[in-house]
Amino acid sequence: MTLFWLITVLFVGGLLAWLAERWQAAAPRWVALAALALAAGLAILLLSGADAMTAWPASPAGGAWLSELEWPWIPRFGISFHLALDGISLLLIALTVFLGFMAVACSWTEITQRSGFFHFNLLWTLAGVLGVFLAMDLFLFFFFWEVMLIPMYFLISIWGHEKRAYAAMKFFLFTQISGLLMLLSILALAFIHRQSTGVYTFDYFTLLGSRLDPGTADWLMLGFLAAFLVKLPSVPFHTWLPDAHTQAPTGGSVILAGILLKTGAYGLIRFVVPLFPDAAHRFTPVAMTLGVLSILYGAKLAFAQSDLKRLIAYSSVSHMGFVLLGVFAWNALALQGAVMTMLAHGVSSAALFMVAGALQERLHTREMGRLGGLWPKIPRIAVVALFFFIATLGMPGLGNFIGEFLVLLGAFKVSVAMTSLAALGLIAAPIYALIAIQRTFYGSARATRPIADFGVREMAMMAFMIAAMVWMGIYPQSMLEVASPAVEKLNRTAAVGAMLP
Amino acid sequence: MTADALIALLPIMVVAGAAIVVMLAIAVRRNYRLTVILTLLGLVTALATLPLAAERAPLAATELMRIDRYALFFIGLVLATGVAVTLLCYDYFAKREEQKEEIYILLLTTLLGGAVLAASSHFASFFLGLETLSVSLFAMIAYPIKERLPLEAGIKYMTLSGAASAFLLFGMALIYAEVGVLSFAELGRLSATADFQPSVLIGIVMIIVGLGFKLSLVPFHLWTPDVYQGAPAPVTALLSTVSKSAIFALLLRYFVVSGSYSYESLSAVLTFIAVASILVGNLLALLQDNVKRILAYSSIAHLGYVVVALITGRVLGSAFAVEAVAFYLVAYVVSTLGAFGVVAVLSVGGDEAETLAAYQGLFWRNPGLASIFTASLLSLAGIPLTVGFVGKFYVFSSGVNADLWLLVWTVVIGSGVGLYYYLRIVLAMMKSADGVATAAVPAAPAPLVGCLTLTVLVALLLWLGVYPGAFMEMLQSLSKTLS
């Protein structure tokens, strides 16, 4: 039941936030915070239970699952409201709720119009994401997958910047069409299962063992891949991302970069590899190539940008390439690295977007050519920006380094060539990160009037983000342990399915 | 005729009676509100007799009509749509100058035609029902007779409809000349035993041509945008829902009962029609700036999706096709009523609210109506949480299950393109209203009756989208009764 309430709290909170606007203009913010606090409470409840259960050796269900819930929903097609939680989901849920707080907090002064509807959309996106991380019925998964899109579309198209209509439309078309391809694969998988067993079902655990002939498996996997690679995004499906990120309001960018991209990675880990281990294994060279391409090409494009938000957006493409590489390296080490990268990138990119949003709120521009020399004027923003750019370039002791290092370590066992190329990303990242710092904060000042530095609210937010980042870097074991049983189990299923040694 | 048969036909007879009562009431005393109340009363009574009829089903009431649960379901759909359209008409026509009571007689006869079509099992009742429906619609479309566009639309629809009827009759005649029977069941029985290939096939194709006109399937769709645009908004709602769903119900019954699925070449014809409708409808909708025309082209595409479900019946058996078609039609009817309902409610002040500019900033001027419109459009686009998604799910399921990948890909492409123009309307509603739209739409308070109707429709749209299980099971048991 905890899982059900976790999602419902946000849905109901969203509705209340919308209604609360009539009562008082500031009320939606507090309602949103209250809903997130409730969700956080539930997540902590799950987390505390998690410690008890990881010690639990081999339960009948395989031991990796911490909590489960199953209600019949559409019995006609064997669809059920089936939620389950393992370590990976738990970490991602914690990230989602954490960044949810940040998104509300960083919109505190930025969103002045229609704040009720804004927070409604914000909370519904988060609820959809939580659903995605928990759904264990493929129909339900698709349902949540789409539910998170529409509010996000509204966030961009109503509160976005100058080219918002174009960006919102592009975001929606890319994700929706690729989502339809996934729906086709889901349906085909369910029908093939029905043909062989005579039972309609969309249940993940039942479908896991489906026997597919190789040709079919390839096609079905491609359907899933389409949705996840677009969402991740991987080169060459990344073109929606810079537009959407750049045009979204800060709160929207935080969610988009911090959480929504992770749903694509999560989908790869949870569905593509376990459902089609054989096909995924055949696809490995392509996937690894795409991962390396994303790392290098994303970094190159980030370097070439003059718009600060676009630069951060392309750096996301580059970082998510590591996740793709890690997922398809087929060992527990790399998979752990992928999960760590997801968490660390979630925090670091969200923080960078908050910095960029703060600059835009104050200076009304994101063009680095019109920034510059800001360090003496706004030292606190500058220091925070420097910290997170350094985190993003992979400084040891901070979260991103752990994730990327583990991925490279894992991938090295599989392909030395790919790993060496991917490692070049670690050289490219400092280049674009330092360029960004240089052009924004150093040099001669262009703005002459005084600019407000981070206030108490913003410093408090950043303190949390910095603490999270440092924690991930210094004590990653705490998170690796939570994810470990799930990772081991996924890796075993995949290896057995693909008939690896 | 037995008493049972009379009771089974009660829903249809009550509607016919209501039309006469309303006509007499108008003759005695013109009172707009009374007319509407009588109409509603008639429709509700007819709906209330459905359970009575259901107890007798399945039953062949005369040779012409077969009252089974399939027929009663579609009669119920037609009548319920009629109630919604009546309520939408109430505000829309209330302030018009012309004599406005007669529209309700025409509305009732349209519904009568639809109900007859849903139950007909014979070429004679098929044609009678279709003509009752179409002739009433000509008059309804051209009802604001002093205006240019409705008149043009009415005449256009009448001419083309006449041509379509001619095709239809010719097709029936060809089949009769070859087989010598007019009842669907007899036809099915005979064609199972003997091979009547050429002329029966030509006859069926001609019937498809005739019905294709009425269903506005490509390449017989040319009248659709003009007529949708010209007709008063509530009439457009009626035209795009009742006539489409009743005619499709008949087409499906004809296919299943008369054994037309056994003709392989028909699949090819229908596949062509479906692919063309989906592509042409969606692509041409991209080019429009008029909301009614966008919805017109989108309805062409939606009927294409239904044809996909119809085609798969050949592979999957008729039961699944019936279930999928029925669900999709309900989804389509609910969403379309919602969309045209908003147009109707916004047009109450006088001019039709049909340009995209008229919708600019609606989200901030009237959030309630804008949310309803958004929900309806998202449902038409097939986004989860709405009934349209479950409808799409059925179409995809049937296509994937039947391995008809050409059709499935067309539906995917169509849905992708469709999103673009539905979102265009949504985006227009979200733009800030600064100075642009205030002139385009008078700030008249939205009428109460219309808004309540729309609220109920949206509640239904969301309910069936989130919790479709019970309804699906009802359709599943119903689908087995048609054979």
Side-chain angles (χ1 to χ4, degrees):
Chain A
M1 280 304 277
T2 321
L3 299 181
F4 172 73
W5 287 115
L6 192 62
I7 298 175
T8 314
V9 157
L10 295 186
F11 276 127
V12 175
L15 286 175
L16 288 180
W18 197 356
L19 294 176
E21 193 186 10
R22 292 176 174 241
W23 177 53
Q24 206 203 335
R29 306 180 199 288
W30 294 104
V31 174
L33 281 185
L36 282 166
L38 273 176
L42 291 170
I44 289 171
L45 204 68
L46 290 169
L47 199 62
S48 57
D51 286 331
M53 282 209 203
T54 38
W56 190 21
S59 82
W65 300 96
L66 309 173
S67 179
E68 197 182 356
L69 165 80
E70 186 168 10
W71 292 331
W73 182 23
I74 307 176
R76 166 74 180 89
F77 288 102
I79 295 166
S80 58
F81 189 83
H82 189 178
L83 304 176
L85 178 90
D86 68 357
I88 299 179
S89 323
L90 183 60
L91 289 176
L92 289 171
I93 282 168
L95 178 75
T96 308
V97 175
F98 177 64
L99 289 183
F101 276 113
M102 295 302 143
V104 173
C106 73
S107 313
W108 207 267
T109 53
E110 184 185 312
I111 304 299
T112 49
Q113 287 188 315
R114 297 146 194 161
S115 73
F117 192 48
F118 178 84
H119 288 90
F120 166 81
N121 284 316
L122 196 68
L123 290 180
W124 275 50
T125 312
L126 293 175
V129 173
L130 289 188
V132 163
F133 288 147
L134 289 173
M136 287 302 144
D137 180 284
L138 293 185
F139 184 89
L140 185 68
F141 173 75
F142 181 78
F143 186 84
F144 281 124
W145 183 262
E146 300 274 294
V147 164
M148 71 184 178
L149 285 188
I150 300 146
M152 192 67 224
Y153 166 80
F154 285 151
L155 282 182
I156 301 176
S157 68
I158 299 179
W159 292 275
H161 303 306
E162 59 285 348
K163 274 167 66 189
R164 56 180 177 268
Y166 168 77
M169 186 73 90
K170 195 166 173 183
F171 162 74
F172 200 81
L173 289 180
F174 263 74
T175 40
Q176 173 73 23
I177 293 172
S178 62
L180 281 180
L181 298 181
M182 176 169 76
L183 178 63
L184 288 188
S185 283
I186 292 177
L187 287 172
L189 187 63
F191 288 130
I192 289 171
H193 184 265
R194 177 168 176 267
Q195 270 164 16
S196 55
T197 63
V199 187
Y200 267 128
T201 182
F202 285 81
D203 191 74
Y204 172 69
F205 298 105
T206 319
L207 293 173
L208 263 186
S210 296
R211 297 223 158 273
L212 303 165
D213 62 88
T216 322
D218 283 345
W219 282 108
L220 295 186
M221 184 195 64
L222 284 181
F224 278 87
L225 269 180
F228 299 143
L229 288 187
V230 165
K231 198 58 156 242
L232 193 60
S234 154
V235 172
F237 309 107
H238 64 286
T239 60
W240 62 270
L241 178 117
D243 289 312
H245 274 67
T246 314
Q247 301 303 325
T250 310
S253 297
V254 165
I255 295 188
L256 201 56
I259 311 168
L260 251 65
L261 303 191
K262 309 305 174 289
T263 58
Y266 173 82
L268 290 177
I269 296 177
R270 172 76 73 217
F271 294 102
V272 171
V273 173
L275 284 175
F276 313 103
D278 203 21
H281 195 246
R282 278 195 299 279
F283 188 72
T284 299
V286 184
M288 288 182 101
T289 313
L290 285 180
V292 170
L293 265 181
S294 299
I295 294 173
L296 297 179
Y297 189 64
K300 180 190 173 291
L301 285 182
F303 170 69
Q305 299 307 313
S306 63
D307 181 320
L308 186 58
K309 275 183 121 178
R310 282 186 94 85
L311 184 145
I312 305 169
Y314 278 113
S315 82
S316 292
V317 176
S318 177
H319 286 294
M320 297 316 278
F322 280 103
V323 176
L324 187 56
L325 193 67
V327 172
F328 279 91
W330 295 84
N331 55 54
L333 205 56
L335 205 53
Q336 287 274 29
V339 174
M340 271 316 283
T341 308
M342 282 156 74
L343 297 174
H345 173 260
V347 174
S348 71
S349 66
L352 287 176
F353 275 118
M354 282 155 75
V355 167
L359 288 178
Q360 170 151 30
E361 201 182 340
R362 288 164 173 79
L363 298 160
H364 307 287
T365 181
R366 306 179 301 262
E367 277 299 314
M368 285 186 287
R370 297 175 56 196
L371 300 171
L374 291 175
W375 192 288
K377 289 177 189 284
I378 40 171
R380 289 186 209 153
I381 298 185
V383 167
V384 170
L386 183 62
F387 177 84
F388 282 106
F389 269 116
I390 292 214
T392 210
L393 64 78
M395 175 71 86
L398 299 174
N400 296 53
F401 169 74
I402 306 288
E404 285 164 19
F405 182 70
L406 285 177
V407 167
L408 291 176
L409 212 56
F412 190 76
K413 297 184 195 164
V414 187
S415 163
V416 179
M418 290 287 183
T419 314
S420 339
L421 281 172
L424 290 179
L426 291 182
I427 300 174
I431 299 177
Y432 64 73
L434 294 179
I435 282 273
I437 285 286
Q438 166 103 31
R439 294 173 68 184
T440 314
F441 294 106
Y442 294 110
S444 57
R446 284 183 184 67
T448 47
R449 58 190 179 79
I451 309 162
D453 205 348
F454 270 164
V456 177
R457 170 181 58 87
E458 284 153 317
M459 282 315 281
M461 289 178 336
M462 287 304 177
F464 276 113
M465 302 285 266
I466 291 173
M469 207 69 220
V470 172
W471 184 26
M472 278 187 233
I474 296 192
Y475 190 41
Q477 195 57 30
S478 56
M479 292 174 189
L480 296 179
E481 262 169 23
V482 177
S484 166
V487 166
E488 291 290 342
K489 181 159 170 49
L490 281 170
N491 204 46
R492 219 166 34 243
T493 336
V496 169
M499 285 170 285
L500 293 184
Chain B
M1 197 144 134
T2 61
D4 271 350
L6 279 176
I7 293 174
L9 287 176
L10 256 184
I12 295 176
M13 292 193 296
V14 170
V15 177
I20 296 169
V21 169
V22 169
M23 185 174 69
L24 291 176
I26 294 172
V28 174
R29 183 176 147 73
R30 261 187 198 283
N31 181 325
Y32 185 65
R33 191 164 289 183
L34 179 72
T35 315
V36 174
I37 290 174
L38 281 178
T39 312
L40 284 177
L41 215 59
L43 289 175
V44 170
T45 318
L47 279 170
T49 56
L50 283 177
L52 285 180
E55 283 169 20
R56 269 84 184 166
L59 175 80
T62 76
E63 182 147 349
L64 300 182
M65 316 278 263
R66 186 175 160 80
I67 304 288
D68 46 19
R69 288 182 56 203
Y70 176 82
L72 290 174
F73 172 77
F74 277 101
I75 292 176
L77 179 63
V78 164
L79 295 181
T81 316
V83 173
V85 173
T86 312
L87 292 171
L88 291 174
C89 281
Y90 174 73
D91 294 314
Y92 185 89
F93 287 101
K95 298 204 179 68
R96 309 249 153 177
E97 284 171 9
E98 64 260 20
Q99 298 190 323
K100 57 218 172 193
E101 285 80 9
E102 280 84 351
I103 190 105
Y104 295 98
I105 308 176
L106 294 168
L107 177 65
L108 284 169
T109 48
T110 310
L111 299 178
L112 177 64
V116 168
L117 275 178
S120 70
S121 62
H122 192 277
F123 278 129
S125 50
F126 171 7
F127 193 70
L128 281 176
L130 195 63
E131 288 303 290
T132 317
L133 179 87
S134 307
V135 172
S136 320
L137 275 175
F138 306 153
M140 283 186 89
I141 291 169
Y143 201 78
I145 197 116
K146 288 175 192 152
E147 288 167 43
R148 198 178 59 84
L149 276 180
L151 199 56
E152 180 197 324
I155 290 176
K156 207 168 235 174
Y157 188 61
M158 185 174 74
T159 323
L160 289 176
S161 220
S165 296
F167 269 101
L168 209 61
L169 278 178
F170 193 20
M172 290 176 188
L174 277 176
I175 293 175
Y176 182 69
E178 180 73 25
V179 187
V181 292
L182 284 173
S183 130
F184 298 170
E186 284 286 297
L187 186 63
R189 201 172 51 75
L190 287 176
S191 42
T193 51
D195 189 21
F196 297 115
Q197 271 289 356
S199 60
V200 170
L201 191 60
I202 295 172
I204 296 175
V205 170
M206 289 204 140
I207 290 177
I208 290 178
V209 170
L211 292 182
F213 266 109
K214 312 264 175 175
L215 293 172
S216 61
L217 292 166
V218 176
F220 318 111
H221 64 288
L222 289 169
W223 57 274
T224 318
D226 294 342
V227 173
Y228 272 48
Q229 185 189 2
V235 177
T236 317
L238 185 74
L239 175 66
S240 58
T241 53
V242 165
S243 92
K244 304 262 155 98
S245 53
I247 293 174
F248 214 99
L250 174 107
L251 180 66
L252 181 60
R253 181 195 287 274
Y254 177 81
F255 254 75
V256 173
V257 175
S258 75
S260 303
Y261 272 129
S262 58
Y263 297 105
E264 202 164 327
S265 38
L266 269 189
S267 285
V269 172
L270 285 175
T271 303
F272 169 76
I273 289 180
V275 170
S277 301
I278 293 171
L279 294 183
V280 170
N282 279 316
L283 290 175
L284 290 185
L286 289 178
L287 308 176
Q288 307 301 320
D289 283 320
N290 181 312
V291 172
K292 278 167 116 183
R293 290 181 83 90
I294 293 181
L295 289 174
Y297 281 111
S298 104
S299 87
I300 296 176
H302 278 282
L303 266 296
Y305 301 143
V306 192
V307 175
V308 170
L310 173 73
I311 297 170
T312 57
R314 186 180 149 75
V315 185
L316 302 180
S318 61
F320 194 80
V322 169
E323 195 185 335
V325 167
F327 197 102
Y328 200 91
L329 283 175
V330 170
Y332 167 76
V333 165
V334 173
S335 328
T336 310
L337 273 180
F340 279 117
V342 172
V343 177
V345 164
L346 286 175
S347 309
V348 165
D351 290 332
E352 295 280 306
E354 52 184 18
T355 54
L356 265 183
Y359 290 84
Q360 196 147 331
L362 188 67
F363 233 99
W364 319 116
R365 279 182 284 136
N366 191 336
L369 270 186
S371 306
I372 291 172
F373 203 21
T374 306
S376 308
L377 290 172
L378 291 179
S379 178
L380 286 172
I383 305 289
L385 285 177
T386 62
V387 65
F389 169 66
V390 187
K392 272 274 164 59
F393 174 77
Y394 261 113
V395 171
F396 276 126
S397 309
S398 51
V400 171
N401 209 354
D403 264 341
L404 296 171
W405 289 97
L406 169 69
L407 291 171
V408 173
W409 283 111
T410 318
V411 177
V412 170
I413 294 169
S415 312
V417 176
L419 272 178
Y420 184 80
Y421 57 81
Y422 293 124
L423 286 181
R424 256 184 86 203
I425 306 181
V426 176
L427 267 184
M429 290 197 287
M430 302 213 154
K431 275 193 188 144
S432 56
D434 312 332
V436 192
T438 36
V441 171
L448 186 67
V449 178
C451 288
L452 282 178
T453 317
L454 288 174
T455 311
V456 172
L457 276 173
V458 163
L460 190 66
L461 182 147
L462 294 176
W463 172 251
L464 287 180
V466 176
Y467 206 74
F471 186 59
M472 280 178 174
E473 265 153 40
M474 184 198 123
L475 288 182
Q476 195 188 3
S477 72
L478 172 152
S479 66
K480 288 174 187 138
T481 60
L482 180 71
S483 57

